[in-house]
């Protein structure tokens, strides 16, 4: 007897699917950002959620985070506090707002120096009520002054972005030479934007506010568009650090 196994018939032999693939967010959402992670089995997307409510200045972190990830959140908070006027955020937000940063799938430990720009984008989005583009994924660490620092595992992370249907990936500018490792099919279907500072990241990822707060009637000024061109890598770079 001849049996043909296809994607449509495999459930008949193995039963219902137990692991469902990650999907692009259904809509542009305030406080929801898609980051990229590098695991032992390859690249994965990593959602970061942020809620802001009236309170007394508490910062809550949930999602089974390691020390490096916690430090990324603290660096993001320091950057935001130093840029409140430019971001149109109240100067005393850290006293009057409770901020909750959550990494879903809490059963999975998460750590590594590559989620800084993702965390900061989610926090700024929630504080300014500006939705995040659903078709953008990002990876990169940050300094407290807003520099975007390089990461490892770009090939695996870009494959995860391609697999989940993303259209644009924000990467550190210093990782541009690593694009030579990315599969041609992935590069053909994704737009890679090199970022050197957080102002570029926020400009590329955030949309106009859903509503303008009475405290801040003036919307954020439009930043200069980021450069999308990717220069060719002159030579093979050294392997990046594991993250």
């Amino acid at each position: 007897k001849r049996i043909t196994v296809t994607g449509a018939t495999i459930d008949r032999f193995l039963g219902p699917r137990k692991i469902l693939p990650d999907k692009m967010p259904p809509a542009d959402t305030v406080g929801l950002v898609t980051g990229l992670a590098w695991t032992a089995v390859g690249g994965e997307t990593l959602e970061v959620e942020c809620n802001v409510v009236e309170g007394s200045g508490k910062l809550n972190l949930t999602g089974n985070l390691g020390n490096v990830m916690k430090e990324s959140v603290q660096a993001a908070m320091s950057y935001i506090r130093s840029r409140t006027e430019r971001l149109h955020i109240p100067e005393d937000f850290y006293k009057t707002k409770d901020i909750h940063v959550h990494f879903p799938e809490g059963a999975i430990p998460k750590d590594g120096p590559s989620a800084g720009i993702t965390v900061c984008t989610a926090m700024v989005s929630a504080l300014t009520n500006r939705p995040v583009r659903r078709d953008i994924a990002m990876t990169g660490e940050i300094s407290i002054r807003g520099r975007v620092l390089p990461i490892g595992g770009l090939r695996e992370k870009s494959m995860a972005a391609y697999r989940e249907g993303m259209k644009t990936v924000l990467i550190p500018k210093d990782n541009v030479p690593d694009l030579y490792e990315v599969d041609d099919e992935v590069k053909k279907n994704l737009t890679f934007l090199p970022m050197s500072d957080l102002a570029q990241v926020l400009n590329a990822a955030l949309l106009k506010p859903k509503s303008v707060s009475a405290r801040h009637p003036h919307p954020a000024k439009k930043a200069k568009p980021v450069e999308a061109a990717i220069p060719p890598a002159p030579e093979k770079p050294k392997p990046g650090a594991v993250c």
Side-chain angles (χ1 to χ4, degrees):
K1 184 176 180 180
R2 179 175 178 176
I3 298 175
T4 301
V5 179
T6 66
T9 64
I10 194 169
D11 289 356
R12 290 168 45 195
F13 303 100
L14 300 182
R17 294 177 181 266
K18 296 182 179 180
I19 300 177
L20 299 177
D22 294 330
K23 295 182 180 179
M24 184 189 303
D28 302 327
T29 306
V30 172
L32 176 61
V33 186
T34 301
L36 298 172
W38 184 22
T39 68
V41 297
E44 293 182 1
T45 55
L46 176 68
E47 285 190 350
V48 178
E49 299 175 340
C50 182
N51 277 341
V52 175
V53 297
E54 296 295 331
S56 57
K58 294 180 180 179
L59 176 61
N60 298 319
L61 308 179
T62 53
N64 199 356
L65 307 181
N67 290 332
V68 177
M69 295 280 268
K70 293 177 181 178
E71 291 175 358
S72 294
V73 178
Q74 295 293 339
M77 175 66 79
S78 180
Y79 170 80
I80 294 171
R81 288 184 61 180
S82 69
R83 301 293 193 281
T84 53
E85 183 176 358
R86 184 179 302 176
L87 296 172
H88 297 271
I89 296 173
E91 292 185 3
D92 62 347
F93 79 92
Y94 62 95
K95 297 179 181 178
T96 61
K97 306 290 185 182
D98 286 349
I99 302 175
H100 184 179
V101 180
H102 177 60
F103 292 74
E105 300 182 2
I108 302 174
K110 305 172 187 70
D111 202 12
S114 66
I117 66 172
T118 310
V119 170
C120 190
T121 301
M123 294 172 68
V124 172
S125 171
L127 286 165
T128 59
N129 205 34
R130 297 178 64 183
V132 182
R133 284 181 51 187
R134 63 190 289 263
D135 61 349
I136 275 187
M138 60 184 69
T139 179
E141 193 47 80
I142 58 172
S143 72
I144 59 175
R145 299 186 63 84
R147 291 184 298 120
V148 178
L149 308 178
I151 49 84
L154 181 60
R155 179 177 181 272
E156 292 80 4
K157 292 176 179 179
S158 63
M159 291 182 70
Y162 169 61
R163 185 175 63 244
E164 311 309 339
M166 298 295 168
K167 302 300 182 184
T168 303
V169 178
L170 309 185
I171 64 172
K173 188 174 182 179
D174 289 344
N175 283 112
V176 168
D178 296 336
L179 286 172
Y180 87 97
E181 295 181 339
V182 176
D183 293 359
D184 291 338
E185 183 69 16
V186 175
K187 285 189 283 192
K188 184 171 66 176
N189 288 276
L190 290 177
T191 299
F192 292 88
L193 298 182
M195 303 282 118
S196 58
D197 62 73
L198 272 167
Q200 291 179 313
V201 174
L202 299 176
N203 179 57
L206 298 181
L207 301 174
K208 292 182 179 180
K210 282 191 171 182
S211 62
V212 179
S213 169
R215 293 185 179 181
H216 305 280
H218 303 292
K221 294 181 180 179
K222 186 176 181 181
K224 294 181 179 180
V226 297
E227 185 177 329
I230 303 296
E235 59 183 35
K236 184 175 180 180
K238 298 179 181 180
V242 175
C243 65

